[in-house]
C-alpha cells in the first residue's frame, strides 16, 4: 500500500482505504484560498453582467498579456457608479478577496473597489517598460537586421478587413505586382490582441518562405494601441530571426514595438512602400545601368581601336619585311666578314705551319741523308746508332740507312781518322 497525500495542517493522510470526501477537499481548498487575504489585481474587463433588479454584478477580468482570466463579483451599484462607465476592454485595478464556492467548485474574486487605469498611469507604465527594454539593449540599432531586397513572401499581421491591410497590400502590389503575402488576421486591440498577435508571430516565424513580417494597424487612442507596447510582445519581436516591420498608427504614434522592430514605418501605407522595391524605379535603374555599360563598352572598344590603329601605323608594322631584309643584309655582311677573317687566320696559320715544316725538314735526318750521309745502326737486334768507331770491331754487322733505303754490311776494319793506321 502506498502512502497518500498529507495536508498542510498535518491532517490524517489519505489512502484508498481512507479517502477524503469531496466536501472535505472543497472546504480545505476554500481555507487555503481564504488565507490569501485581500489583494489588488490589474487586468482588462471582458464581460460585464449587471442586470437590473439584481444586487450582484458579474465580470470577467483578463490578463493583458496572457490568456488567463478570473471571474469577478461585486455589487451592481459599484459597477453603475463608475465614471466613466465600464466597458469591454477597460483597464482597471480592483481590490478584493478571492473566494472559493464549495457548492459549485468555482473560484472568483469578490471586489469592493474598482479603479479605472487612467492615461497617465498607462503612459507611466509604458515608460517603465521602455526603460527596462532599453537597458537590456533591445532598442540598439546594432541588433536591427536589414530587410531583404526582394522578399519571397511577406507575412502580414493585421486586423480583418482593416484599412491597414488594404493599404499594405495595395501599395506593395502597386510597387511590385508579383509580391506574395501571407496574411494572418488578429485582434489589434483589446484583451485578445496580444495572445493572438503572439500566435500569429510564431506561425509566420516558423514559415521558411517568409522573409519579412509586417505588423500593421491604423491609428487610435493610447488604450487602442496599448497591446503594441506590451512587454511580452516586444520581447517576442526581439527574439524573431525574421526581420520585423512595425507599421502601427500614424506618424505621431510611437508604441514600444516601433523601437524593437527592425524597421519602423510611420503608417501602413509607408510599410507597403518600403518592404518591396518599385518595379518602375528598378526598371529605370536597370535601363540606366545597361546604358552606362553600353557606353563604357563602346568607349573601351574605341580606345582599343585607336590604340590598334596607332600600332598598325608604326613603320615596323606598316612594312614588316623591310626591317627583316635589312637585318638579312646585316647577317650576310657579318657572315662574309667572318668568313674572310677565318680564311685570313687559316692562311696565316698555314703559312706558319709550312715554314715550320720546311725548317723541320731541313733540320731533320732525311734531309741530311739526302745530302749523301748515312746512318749506321747495329744489326744485332737493338738497332743502336753507331756514333764512334770505338763501337765497331771486325765482323760487326751493320745496317746502313741512306735516303732511299738501307743496306747491311760487315766491318772488316775501322780507323779513327784519315791519318790513323788501319786495323785488320
Amino acid at each position: 500500500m502506498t502512502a497518500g497525500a498529507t495536508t498542510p495542517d498535518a491532517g490524517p493522510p489519505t489512502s484508498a482505504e481512507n479517502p477524503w470526501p469531496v466536501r472535505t477537499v472543497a472546504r480545505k481548498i476554500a481555507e487555503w484560498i481564504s488565507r490569501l487575504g485581500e489583494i489588488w489585481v490589474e487586468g482588462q474587463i471582458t464581460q460585464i453582467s449587471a442586470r437590473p433588479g439584481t444586487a450582484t454584478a458579474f465580470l470577467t477580468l483578463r490578463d493583458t498579456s496572457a490568456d488567463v482570466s478570473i471571474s469577478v463579483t461585486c455589487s451592481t451599484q459599484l459597477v453603475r457608479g463608475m465614471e466613466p462607465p465600464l466597458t469591454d476592454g477597460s483597464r482597471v485595478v480592483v481590490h478584493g478577496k478571492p473566494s472559493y464556492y464549495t457548492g459549485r467548485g468555482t473560484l472568483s474574486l469578490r471586489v469592493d473597489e474598482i479603479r479605472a487605469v487612467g492615461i497617465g498611469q498607462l503612459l507611466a507604465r509604458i515608460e517603465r517598460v521602455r526603460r527596462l527594454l532599453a537597458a537590456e539593449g533591445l532598442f540598439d540599432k546594432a541588433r536591427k537586421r536589414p530587410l531583404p531586397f526582394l522578399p519571397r513572401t511577406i507575412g502580414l499581421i493585421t486586423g480583418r478587413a482593416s484599412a491597414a491591410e488594404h493599404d499594405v497590400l495595395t501599395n506593395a502590389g502597386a510597387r511590385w505586382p508579383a509580391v506574395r503575402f501571407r496574411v494572418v488576421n488578429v485582434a489589434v486591440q483589446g484583451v485578445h490582441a496580444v495572445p493572438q498577435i503572439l500566435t500569429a508571430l510564431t506561425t509566420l516565424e516558423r514559415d521558411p518562405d517568409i522573409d519579412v513580417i509586417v505588423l500593421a494597424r491604423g491609428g487610435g487612442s493610447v488604450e487602442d494601441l496599448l497591446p503594441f507596447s506590451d512587454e511580452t510582445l516586444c520581447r517576442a519581436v526581439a527574439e524573431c530571426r525574421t526581420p520585423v516591420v512595425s507599421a502601427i498608427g500614424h506618424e505621431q504614434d510611437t508604441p514600444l514595438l516601433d523601437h524593437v522592430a527592425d524597421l519602423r514605418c510611420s503608417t501602413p501605407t509607408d510599410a507597403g512602400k518600403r518592404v518591396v522595391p518599385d518595379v518602375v524605379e528598378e526598371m529605370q535603374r536597370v535601363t540606366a545601368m545597361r546604358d552606362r555599360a553600353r557606353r563604357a563598352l563602346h568607349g573601351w572598344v574605341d580606345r582599343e581601336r585607336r590604340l590598334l590603329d596607332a600600332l598598325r601605323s608604326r613603320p615596323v608594322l606598316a612594312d614588316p619585311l623591310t626591317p627583316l631584309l635589312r637585318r638579312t643584309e646585316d647577317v650576310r655582311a657579318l657572315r662574309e666578314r667572318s668568313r674572310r677573317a677565318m680564311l685570313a687566320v687559316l692562311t696565316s696559320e698555314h703559312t706558319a705551319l709550312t715554314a715550320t715544316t720546311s725548317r723541320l725538314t731541313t733540320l731533320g735526318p732525311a734531309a741530311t741523308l739526302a745530302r749523301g750521309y748515312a746512318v749506321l745502326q747495329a744489326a744485332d737486334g737493338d738497332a743502336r746508332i753507331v756514333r764512334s768507331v770505338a763501337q765497331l770491331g771486325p765482323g760487326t754487322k751493320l745496317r746502313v740507312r741512306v735516303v732511299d733505303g738501307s743496306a747491311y754490311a760487315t766491318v772488316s776494319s775501322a780507323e779513327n781518322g784519315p791519318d790513323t793506321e788501319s786495323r785488320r
Side-chain angles (χ1 to χ4, degrees):
M1 181 183 301
T2 58
T6 59
T7 64
D9 55 358
T14 61
S15 64
E17 291 76 15
N18 186 28
W20 282 351
V22 174
R23 63 179 180 276
T24 303
V25 176
R27 177 175 55 81
K28 290 185 176 294
I29 292 175
E31 291 175 355
W32 290 337
I33 293 176
S34 64
R35 295 174 186 172
L36 186 60
E38 296 181 349
I39 56 175
W40 288 93
V41 182
E42 180 185 2
Q44 279 184 310
I45 301 295
T46 58
Q47 294 180 356
I48 302 176
S49 177
R51 299 177 181 177
T54 58
T56 302
F58 298 92
L59 301 87
T60 300
L61 191 64
R62 189 181 186 89
D63 189 273
T64 58
S65 300
D67 191 11
V68 178
S69 61
I70 187 173
S71 298
V72 176
T73 59
C74 64
S75 65
T76 305
Q77 294 180 352
L78 180 62
V79 174
R80 294 176 177 174
M82 289 292 297
E83 287 296 337
L86 293 179
T87 58
D88 285 352
S90 298
R91 292 283 294 265
V92 296
V93 175
V94 300
H95 178 266
K97 183 177 181 180
S99 59
Y100 182 78
Y101 294 92
T102 57
R104 298 190 302 271
T106 57
L107 175 68
S108 66
L109 184 65
R110 181 67 183 181
V111 303
D112 53 16
E113 185 177 353
I114 301 177
R115 298 181 182 179
V117 177
I119 298 297
Q121 292 175 298
L122 292 178
L123 294 178
R125 292 176 184 177
I126 292 175
E127 179 62 21
R128 286 197 296 270
V129 175
R130 187 192 69 79
R131 292 179 180 177
L132 175 62
L133 298 180
E136 295 181 8
L138 299 187
F139 296 168
D140 293 346
K141 294 182 179 180
R143 60 168 299 277
K144 297 184 183 298
R145 292 149 298 188
L147 269 61
F149 172 73
L150 185 60
R152 293 171 296 176
T153 304
I154 301 173
L156 176 60
I157 302 175
T158 187
R160 183 179 302 276
S162 61
E165 178 180 355
H166 176 268
D167 291 344
V168 173
L169 297 180
T170 300
N171 286 276
R175 289 173 61 84
W176 196 269
V179 64
R180 294 169 50 190
F181 276 94
R182 180 180 176 182
V183 181
V184 180
N185 295 121
V186 297
V188 291
Q189 68 183 57
V191 295
H192 300 287
V194 173
Q196 292 186 14
I197 294 174
L198 289 174
T199 301
L201 192 65
T202 303
T203 301
L204 295 179
E205 171 72 6
R206 292 175 179 174
D207 190 340
D209 294 330
I210 300 296
D211 290 333
V212 63
I213 300 174
V214 179
L215 276 73
R217 187 203 189 283
S221 63
V222 175
E223 294 88 343
D224 294 338
L225 302 181
L226 198 60
F228 299 96
S229 293
D230 183 81
E231 180 180 355
T232 303
L233 177 59
C234 290
R235 293 187 182 277
V237 170
E239 293 175 358
C240 282
R241 296 186 300 272
T242 306
V244 178
V245 177
S246 174
I248 308 301
H250 301 298
E251 180 66 35
Q252 66 274 12
D253 299 321
T254 54
L256 296 183
L257 184 64
D258 286 351
H259 302 288
V260 180
D262 298 290
L263 176 65
R264 187 251 178 183
C265 296
S266 58
T267 60
T269 300
D270 185 34
K273 295 179 180 179
R274 300 182 67 175
V275 291
V276 292
D278 188 350
V279 65
V280 177
E281 293 180 359
E282 295 305 319
M283 289 299 296
Q284 292 175 350
R285 184 176 291 108
V286 170
T287 302
M289 294 178 66
R290 291 176 59 185
D291 293 340
R292 185 186 306 171
R294 183 171 56 254
R295 290 193 300 270
L297 181 59
H298 288 173
W300 177 80
V301 171
D302 292 340
R303 289 193 303 271
E304 295 301 320
R305 181 181 292 114
R306 289 193 297 270
L307 178 60
L308 184 59
D309 293 340
L311 292 175
R312 293 175 58 186
S313 64
R314 294 181 180 180
V316 68
L317 294 180
D319 185 12
L321 293 180
T322 299
L324 292 178
L325 295 176
R326 187 182 303 115
R327 294 303 178 187
T328 301
E329 295 297 331
D330 294 342
V331 171
R332 185 179 295 111
L334 291 174
R335 187 174 61 184
E336 183 63 24
R337 185 186 304 173
S338 299
R339 189 181 65 82
R340 290 196 301 268
M342 183 60 66
L343 289 177
V345 172
L346 291 177
T347 300
S348 175
E349 295 299 326
H350 183 268
T351 302
L353 181 60
T354 301
T356 301
T357 302
S358 299
R359 287 195 300 271
L360 291 177
T361 301
T362 302
L363 298 176
T368 303
L369 294 176
R371 291 197 300 268
Y373 292 94
V375 177
L376 298 180
Q377 291 178 292
D380 53 3
D382 57 359
R384 65 183 183 280
I385 296 175
V386 178
R387 301 180 184 278
S388 173
V389 295
Q391 299 177 247
L392 302 176
T396 302
K397 293 182 179 182
L398 299 174
R399 178 175 178 264
V400 181
R401 288 182 59 193
V402 293
V403 69
D404 57 352
S406 60
Y408 293 91
T410 302
V411 177
S412 59
S413 63
E415 55 184 18
N416 291 328
D419 298 328
T420 305
E421 184 178 352
S422 63
R423 294 182 295 172
R424 295 281 180 188

